[in-house]
Amino acid sequence: MLEISICQQLADFELDIAIKLNSFHVLAIYGASGSGKSTLLRQIAGLERTTRGQIIYQDNIWQSDKIFVRPEKRKIGMVFQEPYLFPHLNVEDNLLFADKKVEIAQFEQVIHDLELDKLLQRMPNKLSGGEKQKVALARALLTKPQLLLLDEPFAAIDQATSLFLIDYLQQLDIPQILVSHSSHEVLRSADYVIHLANGKIIKSGMLNQMLSSLAGYTQYHLILNVVATNQLSAGVVLTTAIGNIFCPAWQITQITRRLLLNTMSITIHTAEVRNGLVASIVAIKNLVSYSELTCQFVTGIQIIIPIAQSAERQQLYSVGQTIYLTGFHLEFV
Amino acid sequence: MLTADDLLSLIISFKLALITTFILMVICIPLAWWLVSRRQRPFSHMINALCTTPLILPPSVLGFYLLLLFSPSGLVGKITTGLGLGVLSFSFSGLVIASVIYSLPFILQPLQAVFQQIGRKPWETATMLGLSPWQAFWRAILPLARNGIISAAILGFAHTIGEFGIVLLIGGNLAGKTQVVSIQIYNHVEAFEYASANLLSLILLGFSIVVLVLVYWLQSNSRLARVNDA
């Protein structure tokens, strides 16, 4: 459980946050540069002290009017945008900086997972930005944190490494708070999103409820986690929460854990078709020049499909009707 | 050739510089870090200004006020005599205290510059890795500041060796007790013993050049410089 209720005057605006979350895996604090998201993260870490308010995590009061728990007592791991490695220590000594008596099995697992095996004797000035970030993440994980804070960790590294790290972080069983100004990064990692602007929460919610708040995405997008894949000669069958979707080989450049579905490309059938996903219409909303069909799959997941109003006028669709969906345009994110 | 008094003045100068530097390092390392960490606080500006005063104040002014303070009727003099320590003026102990005050900015300022250059990142990183503030300073900051600390110590040592005005006012010119090398050179010049004055001056000149070469070498080989070059 994370409960934040803070109010602090910053140089340009007042940081005024009030949020309570029962559980999350990756909580993304999203917003433009200078919106107060890094300050918020630093206050959660204890690197900055808020003048008014409280921060509670897992029933531990980290800050209140009377209490301030120092950062080193909070059991937090933090990864900064610019990874800082101690320049006079090699990678191995950097990794063991916090605790030289770290469990060998844990140490070996982390360096293996993050592909640091061959870098242990290297000095930090001989590492690339991505390698430095991997070391910084491994070093934070070796302290066995109860919460991982990520301050724009992918902003200064190459795309391949950022994809690798996002994928790795997704597999960790540690709650994470990610600060990012990149909607793409949020899309790839988060399950809960807080959208911040000028120190205030504009909107917050589960990732799929927040897509219209992310730059470049609309309510006609949906994020799906890929549960399993079945490779065929012509493509891949992806098992998702809305059913099995066939993705032709020509559409695949990479397979990741998440899919972005654009509902604008979906074809709606009123009669059963081969490979069509079954859904039912739960709402029809008429707008000025088009209509929106809210459809629900058997698993409860809803999508919004825009349709031309002429079709609606023809009484093709009605609430409660069963429909069959094909023509999914998928993008791995 | 150096006379026995010349040698003694050299020994007193080096002893004074060594003790002064040691005391100043103990005071200035934590003070410089504290001032750099809390540079936004108004109180720190006042301490900063106070510590920098000896840099712009004529040594004779500082020496004069210290002499008044150390005298038996002065504030410090009353305390020291009350404690049975005697009077500090015209004593080696008084000389050490005066040197510590006068040389303070020459050690404090380079240390502040080093800590400023290191920045808050190593300290924050160490803290987030679970180290206490003391551990973070000891294990993350001090190793990075090593060469800067040595440079500051060398500068402070060299500056103390060259002190004249304040030494003359507080310590007087007592052979074998407070007669440092700069005063011995002054004595030789007064007595028209230019050869002896020249010899002692050459020793100080050589010492100064060696010190500066050492400081520049340390700065170019500092861990921070190496990292920045890479």
Side-chain angles (χ1 to χ4, degrees):
Chain A
M1 191 267 285
L2 176 70
E3 187 179 345
I4 302 170
S5 160
I6 52 176
C7 192
Q8 184 169 11
Q9 187 62 47
L10 302 180
D12 299 326
F13 52 79
E14 191 179 51
L15 185 67
D16 188 1
I17 306 289
I19 194 149
K20 189 174 179 179
L21 292 174
N22 284 327
S23 71
F24 59 88
H25 181 229
V26 180
L27 161 66
I29 302 172
Y30 169 76
S33 296
S35 57
K37 49 191 194 306
S38 285
T39 306
L40 175 60
L41 198 73
R42 289 174 65 81
Q43 291 187 341
I44 297 170
L47 292 173
E48 282 178 29
R49 199 170 174 163
T50 108
T51 42
R52 275 183 294 149
Q54 62 176 17
I55 300 170
I56 302 170
Y57 183 69
Q58 311 279 39
D59 298 328
N60 298 313
I61 300 173
W62 281 348
Q63 175 157 5
S64 69
D65 293 339
K66 290 177 184 170
I67 298 170
F68 179 76
V69 177
R70 293 195 55 82
E72 69 271 16
K73 305 274 185 200
R74 297 188 184 194
K75 289 185 183 168
I76 285 176
M78 189 159 182
V79 180
F80 299 92
Q81 180 178 344
E82 296 288 337
Y84 184 83
L85 303 184
F86 296 102
H88 57 295
L89 302 176
N90 65 17
V91 169
E92 186 173 7
D93 290 337
N94 260 287
L95 291 172
L96 298 173
F97 185 80
D99 183 9
K100 290 207 182 293
K101 291 172 188 162
V102 68
E103 289 167 29
I104 293 171
Q106 189 204 4
F107 180 79
E108 286 180 348
Q109 184 68 52
V110 170
I111 60 164
H112 175 260
D113 290 348
L114 286 167
E115 299 171 351
L116 297 172
D117 316 57
K118 290 176 183 166
L119 304 177
L120 290 178
Q121 299 310 314
R122 286 230 205 129
M123 294 306 284
N125 58 1
K126 303 288 179 203
L127 299 176
S128 69
E131 287 169 336
K132 281 182 190 172
Q133 198 60 288
K134 282 184 183 177
V135 177
L137 175 61
R139 188 176 57 183
L141 292 175
L142 288 172
T143 63
K144 294 182 182 170
Q146 59 169 334
L147 177 67
L148 196 56
L149 303 183
L150 307 158
D151 190 2
E152 307 251 17
F154 317 117
I157 59 176
D158 59 283
Q159 201 189 0
T161 311
S162 80
L163 272 175
F164 172 86
L165 287 178
I166 287 170
D167 201 34
Y168 176 71
L169 286 163
Q170 286 281 306
Q171 296 169 53
L172 293 177
D173 192 23
I174 304 171
Q176 298 157 37
I177 301 180
L178 167 75
V179 155
S180 180
H181 67 272
S182 159
S183 51
H184 209 56
E185 281 173 14
V186 172
L187 215 64
R188 282 172 172 169
S189 348
D191 54 351
Y192 197 93
V193 183
I194 294 174
H195 186 185
L196 222 60
N198 293 324
K200 312 267 185 305
I201 295 175
I202 298 177
K203 196 179 170 189
S204 65
M206 299 302 288
L207 177 63
N208 275 323
Q209 297 165 347
M210 292 293 292
L211 288 179
S212 58
S213 294
L214 302 180
Y217 301 95
T218 66
Q219 67 271 36
Y220 306 127
H221 286 106
L222 181 78
I223 287 290
L224 293 168
N225 288 322
V226 179
V227 182
T229 56
N230 184 16
Q231 193 83 39
L232 303 175
S233 57
V236 181
V237 176
L238 306 161
T239 306
T240 70
I242 62 168
N244 288 340
I245 306 170
F246 176 73
C247 188
W250 60 266
Q251 216 180 21
I252 304 168
T253 49
Q254 56 176 349
I255 294 179
T256 56
R257 290 170 171 267
R258 282 190 172 179
L259 275 176
L260 177 69
L261 175 69
N262 189 340
T263 65
M264 286 196 274
S265 69
I266 288 176
T267 308
I268 305 169
H269 307 269
T270 50
E272 191 170 353
V273 289
R274 189 169 169 263
N275 292 333
L277 293 183
V278 185
S280 60
I281 298 171
V282 291
I284 300 172
K285 189 176 173 184
N286 292 317
L287 299 166
V288 179
S289 55
Y290 64 98
S291 298
E292 286 180 348
L293 290 187
T294 304
C295 309
Q296 186 169 301
F297 293 92
V298 278
T299 49
I301 290 178
Q302 293 187 349
I303 56 170
I304 299 170
I305 307 172
I307 56 163
Q309 266 186 351
S310 57
E312 162 57 15
R313 285 200 192 102
Q314 287 167 8
Q315 302 290 308
L316 269 175
Y317 309 118
S318 59
V319 173
Q321 182 183 0
T322 300
I323 49 172
Y324 303 88
L325 307 174
T326 59
F328 292 95
H329 179 82
L330 303 171
E331 189 188 327
F332 287 94
V333 292
Chain B
M1 275 295 288
L2 292 174
T3 64
D5 278 353
D6 290 344
L7 268 175
L8 208 55
S9 69
L10 277 168
I11 291 168
I12 291 170
S13 281
F14 276 85
K15 188 177 147 193
L16 175 69
L18 210 63
I19 295 170
T20 302
T21 307
F22 176 76
I23 294 170
L24 278 174
M25 293 312 283
V26 172
I27 297 170
C28 289
I29 291 174
L31 181 62
W33 175 249
W34 185 83
L35 287 169
V36 168
S37 310
R38 284 164 178 76
R39 59 186 180 279
Q40 303 297 334
R41 309 266 170 94
F43 190 55
S44 68
H45 290 312
M46 209 178 74
I47 295 175
N48 242 328
L50 207 67
C51 294
T52 316
T53 311
L55 209 61
I56 51 165
L57 208 63
S60 51
V61 174
L62 192 67
F64 172 67
Y65 284 119
L66 285 176
L67 200 61
L68 290 182
L69 277 173
F70 290 170
S71 71
S73 56
L75 184 70
V76 178
K78 278 179 185 166
I79 297 169
T80 54
T81 46
L83 290 170
L85 299 170
V87 181
L88 288 173
S89 43
F90 307 112
S91 71
F92 186 75
S93 309
L95 211 56
V96 169
I97 294 172
S99 288
V100 163
I101 295 169
Y102 187 54
S103 292
L104 189 125
F106 291 90
I107 285 190
L108 186 67
Q109 292 212 331
L111 285 176
Q112 278 181 282
V114 170
F115 290 142
Q116 204 108 48
Q117 199 189 350
I118 289 172
R120 297 281 294 169
K121 212 63 189 285
W123 192 86
E124 286 185 352
T125 303
T127 303
M128 291 315 299
L129 289 170
L131 273 71
S132 69
W134 168 246
Q135 286 174 320
F137 182 71
W138 186 256
R139 289 187 51 204
I141 305 300
L142 280 187
L144 291 173
R146 191 189 66 187
N147 282 11
I149 289 171
I150 297 171
S151 293
I154 292 170
L155 282 174
F157 184 89
H159 182 257
T160 310
I161 292 275
E163 277 173 13
F164 179 76
I166 198 162
V167 171
L168 192 64
L169 274 161
I170 296 295
N173 194 353
L174 308 175
K177 197 175 171 192
T178 60
Q179 196 177 69
V180 295
V181 69
S182 57
I183 291 174
Q184 184 66 350
I185 293 170
Y186 174 75
N187 289 339
H188 283 313
V189 173
E190 286 280 285
F192 299 106
E193 294 163 359
Y194 287 169
S196 299
N198 188 31
L199 189 58
L200 281 178
S201 300
L202 276 176
I203 290 171
L204 284 195
L205 182 68
F207 172 74
S208 305
I209 291 169
V210 169
V211 159
L212 287 174
V213 169
L214 201 60
V215 167
Y216 282 118
W217 181 80
L218 279 169
Q219 280 171 356
S220 65
N221 281 283
S222 78
R223 284 162 171 173
L224 285 173
R226 266 183 284 160
V227 172
N228 292 338
D229 288 347

